[in-house]
Amino acid sequence: MAGRRGALIVLEGMDRSGKTTQSRRLVAALRTAGHRAELLRFPERSTEIGKLLSSYLEKKSDMEDHSVHLLFSANRWERVPFIKEKLSQGVNLVVDRYAFSGVAFTSAKELQLAEAAARGEFGLERYESRAFQEQALEGFQQLMSDTSLNWKTVDASRSIEDVHEEIRVLSEEAIACAAWRPLGELWK
Ligand code: Z5A
Ligand code: MG
């Protein structure tokens, strides 16, 4: 069949939920099954923008919150021509975090700051971290209410192998359906 595009498979989730582990395994499994597949991750720390983000995340530098958000966004946009080219060539892309992390984490930061300030509990790192995770999760849940994006929820508390098998089956379905959804719809 000519002109069949690749699927854009994005893994999002809470910190340490296993996204990087699963992304790598998925690419390997898809290739074994005969699909063309490549791995992308965001933040992509190897670019100039990515290096700024990496330094910020490692607390080696500080940055204004809006600027950081825009750098995360720019870090994705600099890869969009590559993403479109690969998808149009029929390569399936597995993406370890994408724009949804950008929305969920930035809104968590804003909400957490407001909440923590109201309670006068700034500086309690452990608590702030927990509040942050809860807010980010809420952000992801809100984003998932957009049914046009074909979200699938996977229970990441199971074994690596069980999680992998579910993601692999879901990805095979996504690859089979990808041809029916024009690429342009992904960047409206
Ligand atoms: N961020 C943002 O603010 N704005 C944006 O636009 C974007 C990101 C794109 C760094 O991201 C931060 O950037 C992140 C969001 C923010 N911040 N926070 N906070 P990152 O993707 O570079 O983060 P990371 O350092 O890679 O962590 P992670 O992605 O959260 O982890 P993970 O990839 O989900 O987990 P993992 O590395 O695959 O696994 C963690 C460990 O658990 C490892 O030892 C595994 O062997 C183990 N593991 C994995 N699965 C299992 C199961 N099923 N059972 C038992 N053990 C497991
Ligand atoms: Mg990761």
Side-chain angles (χ1 to χ4, degrees):
M1 198 188 332
R4 196 180 169 85
R5 79 160 172 91
L8 182 69
I9 300 165
V10 175
L11 274 69
E12 290 279 13
M14 301 313 299
D15 283 359
R16 318 294 288 166
S17 55
K19 299 174 298 297
T20 299
T21 305
Q22 293 297 335
S23 302
R24 289 184 180 142
R25 288 196 66 147
L26 179 59
V27 169
L30 292 177
R31 286 179 179 164
T32 300
H35 297 291
R36 295 166 73 199
E38 291 187 25
L39 178 64
L40 288 175
R41 64 175 303 174
F42 294 102
E44 171 49 69
R45 299 178 192 232
S46 65
T47 67
E48 291 305 313
I49 291 170
K51 285 175 194 160
L52 292 174
L53 288 169
S54 193
S55 161
Y56 172 79
L57 287 167
E58 290 166 14
K59 296 185 182 169
K60 291 179 184 157
S61 62
D62 281 326
M63 250 186 283
E64 198 275 333
D65 289 337
H66 301 80
S67 305
V68 173
H69 179 78
L70 292 173
L71 284 180
F72 273 113
S73 180
N75 186 234
R76 290 185 292 273
W77 277 108
E78 61 187 352
R79 297 294 271 164
V80 166
F82 173 87
I83 292 173
K84 286 183 173 174
E85 189 189 342
K86 288 288 179 184
L87 292 177
S88 63
Q89 288 170 354
V91 178
N92 300 290
L93 295 178
V94 176
V95 189
D96 181 0
R97 291 195 191 274
Y98 197 52
F100 313 97
S101 277
V103 175
F105 278 83
T106 293
S107 30
K109 188 187 267 180
E110 287 167 5
L111 288 167
Q112 187 206 11
L113 288 174
E115 188 176 303
R119 292 180 184 176
E121 289 175 339
F122 264 114
L124 300 177
E125 194 172 340
R126 188 181 297 261
Y127 174 77
E128 282 182 10
S129 172
R130 192 182 67 203
F132 191 96
Q133 292 301 316
E134 285 168 0
Q135 295 291 0
L137 180 59
E138 208 173 300
F140 279 125
Q141 282 164 346
Q142 280 178 18
L143 289 166
M144 286 169 59
S145 64
D146 180 353
T147 50
S148 70
L149 286 170
N150 198 18
W151 286 103
K152 305 288 180 196
T153 306
V154 175
D155 175 2
S157 66
R158 295 167 297 157
S159 72
I160 290 176
E161 195 49 50
D162 285 356
V163 175
H164 165 69
E165 184 54 19
E166 185 174 350
I167 293 176
R168 189 192 65 72
V169 170
L170 290 170
S171 299
E172 287 283 3
E173 289 168 14
I175 289 168
C177 291
W180 301 103
R181 187 149 185 211
L183 262 189
E185 285 187 23
L186 297 175
W187 282 273
K188 275 192 291 196

PDB file of all heavy atoms in Angstrom, residues 2-36:
ATOM      1  N   ALA A   2       0.622   2.172  -0.918  1.00  0.00           N
ATOM      2  CA  ALA A   2       1.493   3.350  -1.022  1.00  0.00           C
ATOM      3  C   ALA A   2       1.047   4.444  -0.062  1.00  0.00           C
ATOM      4  O   ALA A   2      -0.126   4.585   0.246  1.00  0.00           O
ATOM      5  CB  ALA A   2       1.444   3.874  -2.447  1.00  0.00           C
ATOM      6  N   GLY A   3       2.022   5.226   0.431  1.00  0.00           N
ATOM      7  CA  GLY A   3       1.730   6.436   1.185  1.00  0.00           C
ATOM      8  C   GLY A   3       1.154   6.225   2.565  1.00  0.00           C
ATOM      9  O   GLY A   3       0.537   7.127   3.130  1.00  0.00           O
ATOM     10  N   ARG A   4       1.359   5.070   3.138  1.00  0.00           N
ATOM     11  CA  ARG A   4       0.838   4.832   4.476  1.00  0.00           C
ATOM     12  C   ARG A   4       1.720   5.543   5.499  1.00  0.00           C
ATOM     13  O   ARG A   4       2.920   5.324   5.549  1.00  0.00           O
ATOM     14  CB  ARG A   4       0.859   3.328   4.731  1.00  0.00           C
ATOM     15  CG  ARG A   4       0.022   2.920   5.889  1.00  0.00           C
ATOM     16  CD  ARG A   4       0.111   1.416   6.073  1.00  0.00           C
ATOM     17  NE  ARG A   4      -0.481   1.068   7.335  1.00  0.00           N
ATOM     18  CZ  ARG A   4      -1.782   0.872   7.509  1.00  0.00           C
ATOM     19  NH1 ARG A   4      -2.605   0.953   6.492  1.00  0.00           N
ATOM     20  NH2 ARG A   4      -2.269   0.582   8.694  1.00  0.00           N
ATOM     21  N   ARG A   5       1.107   6.379   6.331  1.00  0.00           N
ATOM     22  CA  ARG A   5       1.953   7.126   7.270  1.00  0.00           C
ATOM     23  C   ARG A   5       2.210   6.334   8.552  1.00  0.00           C
ATOM     24  O   ARG A   5       1.521   5.360   8.841  1.00  0.00           O
ATOM     25  CB  ARG A   5       1.312   8.472   7.593  1.00  0.00           C
ATOM     26  CG  ARG A   5       0.177   8.430   8.604  1.00  0.00           C
ATOM     27  CD  ARG A   5       0.013   9.829   9.178  1.00  0.00           C
ATOM     28  NE  ARG A   5      -1.153   9.959  10.005  1.00  0.00           N
ATOM     29  CZ  ARG A   5      -1.152   9.759  11.328  1.00  0.00           C
ATOM     30  NH1 ARG A   5      -0.058   9.328  11.938  1.00  0.00           N
ATOM     31  NH2 ARG A   5      -2.253   9.947  12.029  1.00  0.00           N
ATOM     32  N   GLY A   6       3.204   6.793   9.310  1.00  0.00           N
ATOM     33  CA  GLY A   6       3.504   6.153  10.585  1.00  0.00           C
ATOM     34  C   GLY A   6       2.603   6.684  11.690  1.00  0.00           C
ATOM     35  O   GLY A   6       1.958   7.726  11.545  1.00  0.00           O
ATOM     36  N   ALA A   7       2.596   5.975  12.791  1.00  0.00           N
ATOM     37  CA  ALA A   7       1.813   6.401  13.961  1.00  0.00           C
ATOM     38  C   ALA A   7       2.704   7.202  14.908  1.00  0.00           C
ATOM     39  O   ALA A   7       3.896   6.924  15.042  1.00  0.00           O
ATOM     40  CB  ALA A   7       1.251   5.177  14.685  1.00  0.00           C
ATOM     41  N   LEU A   8       2.098   8.193  15.549  1.00  0.00           N
ATOM     42  CA  LEU A   8       2.787   8.969  16.589  1.00  0.00           C
ATOM     43  C   LEU A   8       2.286   8.443  17.933  1.00  0.00           C
ATOM     44  O   LEU A   8       1.135   8.694  18.309  1.00  0.00           O
ATOM     45  CB  LEU A   8       2.466  10.456  16.428  1.00  0.00           C
ATOM     46  CG  LEU A   8       3.154  11.403  17.414  1.00  0.00           C
ATOM     47  CD1 LEU A   8       4.655  11.479  17.146  1.00  0.00           C
ATOM     48  CD2 LEU A   8       2.558  12.805  17.325  1.00  0.00           C
ATOM     49  N   ILE A   9       3.144   7.700  18.610  1.00  0.00           N
ATOM     50  CA  ILE A   9       2.749   7.051  19.866  1.00  0.00           C
ATOM     51  C   ILE A   9       3.467   7.764  21.013  1.00  0.00           C
ATOM     52  O   ILE A   9       4.687   7.721  21.124  1.00  0.00           O
ATOM     53  CB  ILE A   9       3.141   5.557  19.835  1.00  0.00           C
ATOM     54  CG1 ILE A   9       2.427   4.853  18.674  1.00  0.00           C
ATOM     55  CG2 ILE A   9       2.830   4.894  21.177  1.00  0.00           C
ATOM     56  CD1 ILE A   9       2.991   3.485  18.331  1.00  0.00           C
ATOM     57  N   VAL A  10       2.691   8.458  21.827  1.00  0.00           N
ATOM     58  CA  VAL A  10       3.265   9.275  22.902  1.00  0.00           C
ATOM     59  C   VAL A  10       3.023   8.598  24.250  1.00  0.00           C
ATOM     60  O   VAL A  10       1.892   8.217  24.557  1.00  0.00           O
ATOM     61  CB  VAL A  10       2.620  10.683  22.907  1.00  0.00           C
ATOM     62  CG1 VAL A  10       3.122  11.504  24.094  1.00  0.00           C
ATOM     63  CG2 VAL A  10       2.903  11.412  21.586  1.00  0.00           C
ATOM     64  N   LEU A  11       4.082   8.440  25.027  1.00  0.00           N
ATOM     65  CA  LEU A  11       3.937   7.910  26.386  1.00  0.00           C
ATOM     66  C   LEU A  11       4.052   9.062  27.377  1.00  0.00           C
ATOM     67  O   LEU A  11       5.089   9.725  27.447  1.00  0.00           O
ATOM     68  CB  LEU A  11       5.013   6.858  26.682  1.00  0.00           C
ATOM     69  CG  LEU A  11       4.663   5.436  26.251  1.00  0.00           C
ATOM     70  CD1 LEU A  11       4.632   5.316  24.738  1.00  0.00           C
ATOM     71  CD2 LEU A  11       5.630   4.438  26.829  1.00  0.00           C
ATOM     72  N   GLU A  12       2.982   9.299  28.097  1.00  0.00           N
ATOM     73  CA  GLU A  12       2.972  10.344  29.128  1.00  0.00           C
ATOM     74  C   GLU A  12       2.652   9.695  30.464  1.00  0.00           C
ATOM     75  O   GLU A  12       2.055   8.607  30.509  1.00  0.00           O
ATOM     76  CB  GLU A  12       1.900  11.404  28.803  1.00  0.00           C
ATOM     77  CG  GLU A  12       2.207  12.281  27.601  1.00  0.00           C
ATOM     78  CD  GLU A  12       3.166  13.425  27.919  1.00  0.00           C
ATOM     79  OE1 GLU A  12       3.796  13.410  29.007  1.00  0.00           O
ATOM     80  OE2 GLU A  12       3.308  14.322  27.083  1.00  0.00           O
ATOM     81  N   GLY A  13       3.001  10.365  31.529  1.00  0.00           N
ATOM     82  CA  GLY A  13       2.692   9.809  32.846  1.00  0.00           C
ATOM     83  C   GLY A  13       3.513  10.465  33.921  1.00  0.00           C
ATOM     84  O   GLY A  13       4.372  11.305  33.654  1.00  0.00           O
ATOM     85  N   MET A  14       3.251  10.030  35.140  1.00  0.00           N
ATOM     86  CA  MET A  14       3.927  10.632  36.280  1.00  0.00           C
ATOM     87  C   MET A  14       5.405  10.250  36.295  1.00  0.00           C
ATOM     88  O   MET A  14       5.819   9.288  35.655  1.00  0.00           O
ATOM     89  CB  MET A  14       3.261  10.161  37.584  1.00  0.00           C
ATOM     90  CG  MET A  14       1.794  10.520  37.661  1.00  0.00           C
ATOM     91  SD  MET A  14       1.485  12.236  37.210  1.00  0.00           S
ATOM     92  CE  MET A  14       2.429  13.094  38.455  1.00  0.00           C
ATOM     93  N   ASP A  15       6.162  11.005  37.084  1.00  0.00           N
ATOM     94  CA  ASP A  15       7.582  10.729  37.221  1.00  0.00           C
ATOM     95  C   ASP A  15       7.791   9.292  37.696  1.00  0.00           C
ATOM     96  O   ASP A  15       7.064   8.805  38.561  1.00  0.00           O
ATOM     97  CB  ASP A  15       8.204  11.674  38.257  1.00  0.00           C
ATOM     98  CG  ASP A  15       8.400  13.059  37.665  1.00  0.00           C
ATOM     99  OD1 ASP A  15       8.071  13.242  36.484  1.00  0.00           O
ATOM    100  OD2 ASP A  15       8.874  13.939  38.395  1.00  0.00           O
ATOM    101  N   ARG A  16       8.766   8.655  37.124  1.00  0.00           N
ATOM    102  CA  ARG A  16       9.184   7.292  37.508  1.00  0.00           C
ATOM    103  C   ARG A  16       8.115   6.238  37.226  1.00  0.00           C
ATOM    104  O   ARG A  16       8.151   5.151  37.800  1.00  0.00           O
ATOM    105  CB  ARG A  16       9.568   7.209  39.003  1.00  0.00           C
ATOM    106  CG  ARG A  16      10.393   8.362  39.513  1.00  0.00           C
ATOM    107  CD  ARG A  16      11.757   8.435  38.891  1.00  0.00           C
ATOM    108  NE  ARG A  16      12.646   7.391  39.357  1.00  0.00           N
ATOM    109  CZ  ARG A  16      13.797   7.081  38.775  1.00  0.00           C
ATOM    110  NH1 ARG A  16      14.162   7.722  37.687  1.00  0.00           N
ATOM    111  NH2 ARG A  16      14.554   6.136  39.249  1.00  0.00           N
ATOM    112  N   SER A  17       7.180   6.554  36.350  1.00  0.00           N
ATOM    113  CA  SER A  17       6.142   5.562  36.054  1.00  0.00           C
ATOM    114  C   SER A  17       6.635   4.524  35.047  1.00  0.00           C
ATOM    115  O   SER A  17       5.946   3.544  34.788  1.00  0.00           O
ATOM    116  CB  SER A  17       4.867   6.248  35.545  1.00  0.00           C
ATOM    117  OG  SER A  17       5.148   7.071  34.442  1.00  0.00           O
ATOM    118  N   GLY A  18       7.812   4.743  34.473  1.00  0.00           N
ATOM    119  CA  GLY A  18       8.383   3.748  33.571  1.00  0.00           C
ATOM    120  C   GLY A  18       8.316   4.114  32.097  1.00  0.00           C
ATOM    121  O   GLY A  18       8.474   3.242  31.234  1.00  0.00           O
ATOM    122  N   LYS A  19       8.135   5.381  31.791  1.00  0.00           N
ATOM    123  CA  LYS A  19       7.984   5.801  30.386  1.00  0.00           C
ATOM    124  C   LYS A  19       9.221   5.479  29.539  1.00  0.00           C
ATOM    125  O   LYS A  19       9.104   4.985  28.423  1.00  0.00           O
ATOM    126  CB  LYS A  19       7.696   7.316  30.303  1.00  0.00           C
ATOM    127  CG  LYS A  19       6.422   7.735  31.005  1.00  0.00           C
ATOM    128  CD  LYS A  19       6.254   9.231  31.018  1.00  0.00           C
ATOM    129  CE  LYS A  19       7.351   9.945  31.763  1.00  0.00           C
ATOM    130  NZ  LYS A  19       7.419   9.602  33.210  1.00  0.00           N
ATOM    131  N   THR A  20      10.395   5.793  30.088  1.00  0.00           N
ATOM    132  CA  THR A  20      11.621   5.578  29.304  1.00  0.00           C
ATOM    133  C   THR A  20      11.865   4.082  29.105  1.00  0.00           C
ATOM    134  O   THR A  20      12.178   3.632  27.991  1.00  0.00           O
ATOM    135  CB  THR A  20      12.818   6.262  30.009  1.00  0.00           C
ATOM    136  OG1 THR A  20      12.538   7.669  30.088  1.00  0.00           O
ATOM    137  CG2 THR A  20      14.109   6.046  29.254  1.00  0.00           C
ATOM    138  N   THR A  21      11.672   3.305  30.159  1.00  0.00           N
ATOM    139  CA  THR A  21      11.814   1.843  30.064  1.00  0.00           C
ATOM    140  C   THR A  21      10.879   1.300  28.986  1.00  0.00           C
ATOM    141  O   THR A  21      11.277   0.522  28.111  1.00  0.00           O
ATOM    142  CB  THR A  21      11.442   1.194  31.421  1.00  0.00           C
ATOM    143  OG1 THR A  21      12.235   1.775  32.450  1.00  0.00           O
ATOM    144  CG2 THR A  21      11.632  -0.304  31.398  1.00  0.00           C
ATOM    145  N   GLN A  22       9.614   1.731  29.050  1.00  0.00           N
ATOM    146  CA  GLN A  22       8.607   1.199  28.125  1.00  0.00           C
ATOM    147  C   GLN A  22       8.825   1.705  26.697  1.00  0.00           C
ATOM    148  O   GLN A  22       8.593   0.963  25.734  1.00  0.00           O
ATOM    149  CB  GLN A  22       7.200   1.557  28.614  1.00  0.00           C
ATOM    150  CG  GLN A  22       6.805   0.875  29.912  1.00  0.00           C
ATOM    151  CD  GLN A  22       6.748  -0.647  29.785  1.00  0.00           C
ATOM    152  OE1 GLN A  22       6.549  -1.191  28.701  1.00  0.00           O
ATOM    153  NE2 GLN A  22       6.924  -1.338  30.899  1.00  0.00           N
ATOM    154  N   SER A  23       9.252   2.946  26.550  1.00  0.00           N
ATOM    155  CA  SER A  23       9.471   3.483  25.199  1.00  0.00           C
ATOM    156  C   SER A  23      10.536   2.670  24.464  1.00  0.00           C
ATOM    157  O   SER A  23      10.383   2.313  23.300  1.00  0.00           O
ATOM    158  CB  SER A  23       9.944   4.947  25.253  1.00  0.00           C
ATOM    159  OG  SER A  23       9.018   5.728  25.929  1.00  0.00           O
ATOM    160  N   ARG A  24      11.619   2.391  25.199  1.00  0.00           N
ATOM    161  CA  ARG A  24      12.719   1.625  24.582  1.00  0.00           C
ATOM    162  C   ARG A  24      12.275   0.222  24.207  1.00  0.00           C
ATOM    163  O   ARG A  24      12.559  -0.272  23.115  1.00  0.00           O
ATOM    164  CB  ARG A  24      13.896   1.551  25.552  1.00  0.00           C
ATOM    165  CG  ARG A  24      14.590   2.897  25.708  1.00  0.00           C
ATOM    166  CD  ARG A  24      15.816   2.761  26.602  1.00  0.00           C
ATOM    167  NE  ARG A  24      16.466   4.052  26.744  1.00  0.00           N
ATOM    168  CZ  ARG A  24      17.028   4.499  27.859  1.00  0.00           C
ATOM    169  NH1 ARG A  24      17.052   3.765  28.933  1.00  0.00           N
ATOM    170  NH2 ARG A  24      17.596   5.694  27.893  1.00  0.00           N
ATOM    171  N   ARG A  25      11.566  -0.400  25.130  1.00  0.00           N
ATOM    172  CA  ARG A  25      11.116  -1.773  24.853  1.00  0.00           C
ATOM    173  C   ARG A  25      10.137  -1.800  23.690  1.00  0.00           C
ATOM    174  O   ARG A  25      10.127  -2.723  22.881  1.00  0.00           O
ATOM    175  CB  ARG A  25      10.454  -2.362  26.102  1.00  0.00           C
ATOM    176  CG  ARG A  25      11.472  -2.671  27.170  1.00  0.00           C
ATOM    177  CD  ARG A  25      10.892  -3.584  28.194  1.00  0.00           C
ATOM    178  NE  ARG A  25      10.596  -4.913  27.636  1.00  0.00           N
ATOM    179  CZ  ARG A  25      10.675  -6.026  28.319  1.00  0.00           C
ATOM    180  NH1 ARG A  25      11.054  -5.998  29.577  1.00  0.00           N
ATOM    181  NH2 ARG A  25      10.371  -7.169  27.779  1.00  0.00           N
ATOM    182  N   LEU A  26       9.288  -0.778  23.631  1.00  0.00           N
ATOM    183  CA  LEU A  26       8.292  -0.746  22.557  1.00  0.00           C
ATOM    184  C   LEU A  26       8.964  -0.628  21.187  1.00  0.00           C
ATOM    185  O   LEU A  26       8.594  -1.344  20.252  1.00  0.00           O
ATOM    186  CB  LEU A  26       7.317   0.419  22.781  1.00  0.00           C
ATOM    187  CG  LEU A  26       6.243   0.589  21.713  1.00  0.00           C
ATOM    188  CD1 LEU A  26       5.374  -0.671  21.594  1.00  0.00           C
ATOM    189  CD2 LEU A  26       5.368   1.805  22.034  1.00  0.00           C
ATOM    190  N   VAL A  27       9.933   0.263  21.073  1.00  0.00           N
ATOM    191  CA  VAL A  27      10.620   0.419  19.788  1.00  0.00           C
ATOM    192  C   VAL A  27      11.258  -0.905  19.372  1.00  0.00           C
ATOM    193  O   VAL A  27      11.131  -1.341  18.217  1.00  0.00           O
ATOM    194  CB  VAL A  27      11.682   1.548  19.854  1.00  0.00           C
ATOM    195  CG1 VAL A  27      12.577   1.518  18.622  1.00  0.00           C
ATOM    196  CG2 VAL A  27      10.992   2.903  19.962  1.00  0.00           C
ATOM    197  N   ALA A  28      11.906  -1.561  20.323  1.00  0.00           N
ATOM    198  CA  ALA A  28      12.543  -2.849  20.010  1.00  0.00           C
ATOM    199  C   ALA A  28      11.502  -3.873  19.549  1.00  0.00           C
ATOM    200  O   ALA A  28      11.710  -4.588  18.554  1.00  0.00           O
ATOM    201  CB  ALA A  28      13.298  -3.363  21.230  1.00  0.00           C
ATOM    202  N   ALA A  29      10.365  -3.918  20.243  1.00  0.00           N
ATOM    203  CA  ALA A  29       9.330  -4.916  19.897  1.00  0.00           C
ATOM    204  C   ALA A  29       8.712  -4.614  18.531  1.00  0.00           C
ATOM    205  O   ALA A  29       8.439  -5.534  17.748  1.00  0.00           O
ATOM    206  CB  ALA A  29       8.243  -4.923  20.974  1.00  0.00           C
ATOM    207  N   LEU A  30       8.486  -3.339  18.253  1.00  0.00           N
ATOM    208  CA  LEU A  30       7.891  -2.986  16.960  1.00  0.00           C
ATOM    209  C   LEU A  30       8.838  -3.347  15.817  1.00  0.00           C
ATOM    210  O   LEU A  30       8.414  -3.853  14.774  1.00  0.00           O
ATOM    211  CB  LEU A  30       7.541  -1.491  16.916  1.00  0.00           C
ATOM    212  CG  LEU A  30       6.406  -1.051  17.850  1.00  0.00           C
ATOM    213  CD1 LEU A  30       6.194   0.464  17.762  1.00  0.00           C
ATOM    214  CD2 LEU A  30       5.103  -1.784  17.536  1.00  0.00           C
ATOM    215  N   ARG A  31      10.126  -3.104  16.037  1.00  0.00           N
ATOM    216  CA  ARG A  31      11.110  -3.461  14.998  1.00  0.00           C
ATOM    217  C   ARG A  31      11.153  -4.965  14.795  1.00  0.00           C
ATOM    218  O   ARG A  31      11.207  -5.448  13.663  1.00  0.00           O
ATOM    219  CB  ARG A  31      12.496  -2.942  15.392  1.00  0.00           C
ATOM    220  CG  ARG A  31      12.610  -1.431  15.230  1.00  0.00           C
ATOM    221  CD  ARG A  31      13.986  -0.955  15.640  1.00  0.00           C
ATOM    222  NE  ARG A  31      14.126   0.479  15.464  1.00  0.00           N
ATOM    223  CZ  ARG A  31      15.084   1.221  16.006  1.00  0.00           C
ATOM    224  NH1 ARG A  31      15.994   0.645  16.772  1.00  0.00           N
ATOM    225  NH2 ARG A  31      15.139   2.513  15.791  1.00  0.00           N
ATOM    226  N   THR A  32      11.112  -5.708  15.890  1.00  0.00           N
ATOM    227  CA  THR A  32      11.109  -7.175  15.791  1.00  0.00           C
ATOM    228  C   THR A  32       9.897  -7.653  14.999  1.00  0.00           C
ATOM    229  O   THR A  32       9.970  -8.634  14.251  1.00  0.00           O
ATOM    230  CB  THR A  32      11.093  -7.800  17.213  1.00  0.00           C
ATOM    231  OG1 THR A  32      12.252  -7.353  17.898  1.00  0.00           O
ATOM    232  CG2 THR A  32      11.082  -9.315  17.167  1.00  0.00           C
ATOM    233  N   ALA A  33       8.775  -6.917  15.161  1.00  0.00           N
ATOM    234  CA  ALA A  33       7.542  -7.309  14.452  1.00  0.00           C
ATOM    235  C   ALA A  33       7.548  -6.836  12.995  1.00  0.00           C
ATOM    236  O   ALA A  33       6.564  -7.036  12.277  1.00  0.00           O
ATOM    237  CB  ALA A  33       6.331  -6.745  15.181  1.00  0.00           C
ATOM    238  N   GLY A  34       8.635  -6.180  12.579  1.00  0.00           N
ATOM    239  CA  GLY A  34       8.755  -5.795  11.171  1.00  0.00           C
ATOM    240  C   GLY A  34       8.333  -4.370  10.857  1.00  0.00           C
ATOM    241  O   GLY A  34       8.302  -3.965   9.694  1.00  0.00           O
ATOM    242  N   HIS A  35       8.010  -3.581  11.889  1.00  0.00           N
ATOM    243  CA  HIS A  35       7.643  -2.176  11.658  1.00  0.00           C
ATOM    244  C   HIS A  35       8.896  -1.312  11.648  1.00  0.00           C
ATOM    245  O   HIS A  35       9.887  -1.623  12.306  1.00  0.00           O
ATOM    246  CB  HIS A  35       6.732  -1.668  12.783  1.00  0.00           C
ATOM    247  CG  HIS A  35       5.426  -2.377  12.884  1.00  0.00           C
ATOM    248  ND1 HIS A  35       4.439  -2.257  11.931  1.00  0.00           N
ATOM    249  CD2 HIS A  35       4.939  -3.215  13.838  1.00  0.00           C
ATOM    250  CE1 HIS A  35       3.399  -2.996  12.295  1.00  0.00           C
ATOM    251  NE2 HIS A  35       3.678  -3.582  13.437  1.00  0.00           N
ATOM    252  N   ARG A  36       8.800  -0.201  10.941  1.00  0.00           N
ATOM    253  CA  ARG A  36       9.845   0.815  11.074  1.00  0.00           C
ATOM    254  C   ARG A  36       9.473   1.651  12.296  1.00  0.00           C
ATOM    255  O   ARG A  36       8.335   2.138  12.406  1.00  0.00           O
ATOM    256  CB  ARG A  36       9.898   1.681   9.817  1.00  0.00           C
ATOM    257  CG  ARG A  36      10.315   0.877   8.592  1.00  0.00           C
ATOM    258  CD  ARG A  36      10.036   1.652   7.328  1.00  0.00           C
ATOM    259  NE  ARG A  36      10.955   2.751   7.117  1.00  0.00           N
ATOM    260  CZ  ARG A  36      10.706   3.774   6.303  1.00  0.00           C
ATOM    261  NH1 ARG A  36       9.564   3.834   5.631  1.00  0.00           N
ATOM    262  NH2 ARG A  36      11.589   4.726   6.143  1.00  0.00           N
TER     263      ARG A  36
END
